[in-house]
Amino acid sequence: MKFPDALLIDGRWQTEAGGGRLELIEPATEEPLCEVPAAGKADIDRALQSAAAAFAKTNWSRRTDRADVLYRIAAGIRAKTDELARLESRNVGKPIGDALWEVRAAARCFEYYAGGISRFGGETIPVNAQGLDYTLRLPLGLVVCIVPWNFPLLMACWKVAPALATGNAVVLKPASLTPLSALALGRVVEEAGVPEGIFQVVAGRGSEIGDYLVAHPLVRKIAFTGETATGSRILKLAADRIKRVSLELGGKSPNLIFADADVEAAAAAAPLAVFGNAGQDCCARSRILVERSVYDRFLEALVQSTRQLNIGDPASEATQVGPLVSASQRQRVERYVQLAKDSRGRILCGGDRGREPGYFFNPVVVDGLPPDSRVCQEEIFGPLTCVIPFDDEEEAVRLANQTEYGLAGSLWTGDLERALRVAQRVETGVMSVNTNSSVYQEAPFGGFKQSGYGRDLGMEAMRLYTEIKNVFVALPESEPT
Ligand code: NAP
């Protein structure tokens, strides 16, 4: 398999860069996978200078065929579905079935925003004056997209597609652990005919180039997905120049199971809601809240269905859960397992290393922990879920909201009125009823509270890559003839 080995800077593929090399390890084997160059500050500067120049000099934002270009990007992704999925699977340790889903969703994302171009614009406003008032949606200019390692290609496309659709120039920085699919995306975008310099990909270490990238005077907006702490740092740096920022951050999402739900269906679905992608999912439903009258029944079924998960080789289509992305991510989960034990939590299954080699870890179900304990409050980003009982709807909502995060949530009930009530009261940006997920290309996705602000997906995302300008044209009333 050929791995991408160059950065896309200033319209050229660069095999050497000032930040040294990123040595990638394959999570499923612990063997070296490949190396890519790491951008240094001079590389970042060049990328940003040339992207800003391309925005100013090319007519990308005014081109009437931008939708055609985006459709070609989607077609390019589709044509490379297997290659991109295998790349992502080997780089992240993601089961191949999940990686294939991710690549198809990435193509659909470009198709959606290609279609969005002709449906997105300003409006005319009946102001209290003689004339015509209308708004324009204008591109921001140079947008930097910074993405994490858990869904590298999809998180990148969620930002790059609406940013390009609205006519911006884009510099994409993937996570150091997982730059490969972003670099491959660079090829696809180039082949689709995006003008030189309008899209660049700069892999590099966030600890070395992140601040420089964010604070650079040419950057108008930072679209970020990652940890809350990194988001907070970006926000502070952006404040100096009043840059636009959108933040998709961490989560500690609740899954509420009411006694009137189909308890067995909820227990069968719950493992993949938290252990999918080995728990490295910002939406992982890692706090399962269960009404006390069905608590034991649910817990037994949950543990049973967790034990039945197919954990193994990411290359196998039957695999549901692969390894964690890195040794340090596995150590992090191990520390939380120890913390759960120290806090007298009951480990009901898992909690130990799985097959070796590889950063495998058997999914953990813990109960008996106080809802305000660290394990129940902090984002672990690994295969560990806490189960907590509640007595009534009021307590369920209180516990669901007892976190600084507010990204996602699910609730299971047979009572429609309760579903509507609770879905509204839980403080999260997305909420699913009697199913695991409510994330769709067409619908807005993002967080409340410390899970960030701004939205990916849907038409909402297009708004966030534009400025709105209001124009008033005086039209003196003409005399009737
Ligand atoms: P992270 O450490 O915050 O890193 C995210 C990205 O930021 C990476 O590209 C990283 O580069 C870069 N970065 C690091 N320091 C930076 C700085 N000072 N300035 C600018 N960029 C910097 O997050 P992660 O560990 O990769 O990802 C896991 C987190 O992402 C979790 O908290 C998860 O909940 C969150 N997430 C949220 C969503 C959502 O939609 N809400 C979706 C997916 C993931 P390096 O890799 O080089 O350090």
Side-chain angles (χ1 to χ4, degrees):
M1 176 169 204
K2 180 157 171 31
F3 297 105
D5 60 357
L7 311 183
L8 178 56
I9 296 180
D10 195 14
R12 277 178 287 283
W13 288 95
Q14 194 174 303
T15 52
E16 298 294 328
R21 314 285 296 169
L22 299 175
E23 292 159 6
L24 309 184
I25 305 289
E26 185 164 8
T29 62
E30 302 183 39
E31 295 289 332
L33 186 65
C34 63
E35 288 186 9
V36 300
K41 285 182 186 166
D43 304 298
I44 296 294
D45 193 49
R46 211 149 30 80
L48 296 176
Q49 298 276 2
S50 74
F55 179 76
K57 283 191 209 136
T58 69
N59 61 350
W60 173 241
S61 63
R62 293 180 303 284
R63 265 174 66 170
T64 52
D65 67 341
R66 280 206 315 283
D68 299 339
V69 177
L70 264 73
Y71 278 124
R72 285 201 293 275
I73 297 174
I77 293 172
R78 285 198 191 283
K80 294 185 178 176
T81 299
D82 288 337
E83 180 189 333
L84 285 167
R86 274 187 287 122
L87 204 59
E88 196 80 320
S89 173
R90 292 193 64 184
N91 194 177
V92 185
K94 193 181 284 282
I96 188 69
D98 294 355
L100 283 164
W101 171 85
E102 193 178 329
V103 175
R104 291 180 187 125
R108 245 184 71 61
C109 182
F110 274 96
E111 285 157 1
Y112 176 83
Y113 289 111
I117 291 174
S118 60
R119 287 183 289 122
F120 177 72
E123 53 183 347
T124 55
I125 302 173
V127 297
N128 185 18
Q130 198 59 48
L132 172 68
D133 191 280
Y134 64 93
T135 58
L136 296 170
R137 287 283 180 176
L138 301 172
L140 296 167
L142 172 50
V143 173
V144 164
C145 304
I146 303 177
V147 296
W149 45 258
N150 58 341
F151 294 91
L153 180 66
L154 195 56
M155 293 300 105
C157 293
W158 282 10
K159 298 180 188 318
V160 172
L164 287 178
T166 43
N168 295 284
V170 177
V171 171
L172 169 64
K173 194 207 98 57
S176 298
L177 288 173
T178 57
L180 298 181
S181 56
L183 296 170
L185 178 68
R187 288 271 179 211
V188 173
V189 172
E190 185 184 45
E191 285 162 13
V194 170
E196 205 173 281
I198 286 291
F199 182 64
Q200 320 215 10
V201 189
V202 288
R205 296 176 184 85
S207 55
E208 290 169 19
I209 54 162
D211 289 2
Y212 186 74
L213 186 59
V214 169
H216 200 290
L218 290 174
V219 175
R220 293 277 173 78
K221 169 171 176 142
I222 300 104
F224 174 76
T225 296
E227 278 187 39
T228 293
T230 317
S232 168
R233 185 184 178 92
I234 287 174
L235 204 49
K236 286 178 195 134
L237 284 169
D240 272 351
R241 288 179 189 266
I242 321 290
K243 295 180 182 187
R244 276 59 179 150
V245 177
S246 47
L247 302 172
E248 301 290 351
L249 306 176
K252 190 76 179 177
S253 298
N255 189 0
L256 293 85
I257 319 295
F258 288 93
D260 56 17
D262 180 341
V263 173
E264 274 63 40
L272 279 181
V274 57
F275 303 133
N277 214 42
Q280 303 163 126
D281 182 344
C282 54
C283 293
R285 303 322 197 247
S286 53
R287 290 183 303 140
I288 306 182
L289 311 175
V290 188
E291 193 159 354
R292 204 175 296 275
S293 58
V294 294
Y295 187 82
D296 291 341
R297 192 173 126 211
F298 176 87
L299 201 58
E300 192 181 327
L302 172 70
V303 169
Q304 196 183 359
S305 42
T306 298
R307 289 205 170 111
Q308 285 166 357
L309 286 172
N310 199 340
I311 305 166
D313 182 2
S316 160
E317 294 209 4
T319 295
Q320 293 171 291
V321 179
L324 292 167
V325 74
S326 64
S328 72
Q329 197 62 17
R330 183 167 65 179
Q331 281 159 10
R332 177 184 165 91
V333 180
E334 286 174 333
R335 284 197 296 276
Y336 278 101
V337 171
Q338 191 55 49
L339 197 57
K341 288 177 181 163
D342 295 346
S343 314
R344 299 213 183 87
R346 284 196 303 162
I347 308 289
L348 298 166
C349 63
D352 52 339
R353 292 186 178 196
R355 55 182 261 168
E356 285 182 324
Y359 307 124
F360 291 90
F361 199 75
N362 291 322
V364 198
V365 176
V366 193
D367 88 334
L369 289 170
D372 61 355
S373 62
R374 281 186 57 198
V375 177
C376 294
Q377 288 293 316
E378 295 176 9
E379 184 182 47
I380 296 169
F381 224 55
L384 189 159
T385 191
C386 319
V387 192
I388 301 165
F390 65 82
D391 285 312
D392 56 24
E393 187 178 310
E394 208 49 40
E395 191 185 17
V397 171
R398 185 180 61 73
L399 287 170
N401 290 337
Q402 190 187 9
T403 162
E404 286 309 317
Y405 293 111
L407 187 57
S410 299
L411 71 99
W412 295 74
T413 178
D415 177 342
L416 178 62
E417 287 179 20
R418 187 206 296 278
L420 300 178
R421 249 186 344 256
V422 175
Q424 185 166 343
R425 290 183 68 199
V426 173
E427 297 165 346
T428 58
V430 293
M431 193 75 196
S432 62
V433 178
N434 293 336
T435 184
N436 272 349
S437 172
S438 55
V439 179
Y440 292 100
Q441 175 59 59
E442 300 78 9
F445 172 79
F448 286 11
K449 303 196 285 188
Q450 290 192 31
S451 290
Y453 55 73
R455 291 292 179 269
D456 281 330
L457 299 177
M459 295 304 280
E460 198 60 32
M462 291 188 84
R463 289 188 193 97
L464 296 175
Y465 292 98
T466 56
E467 294 285 14
I468 187 163
K469 173 181 285 199
N470 189 66
V471 181
F472 177 75
V473 184
L475 292 175
E477 203 167 355
S478 55
E479 292 297 320
T481 52

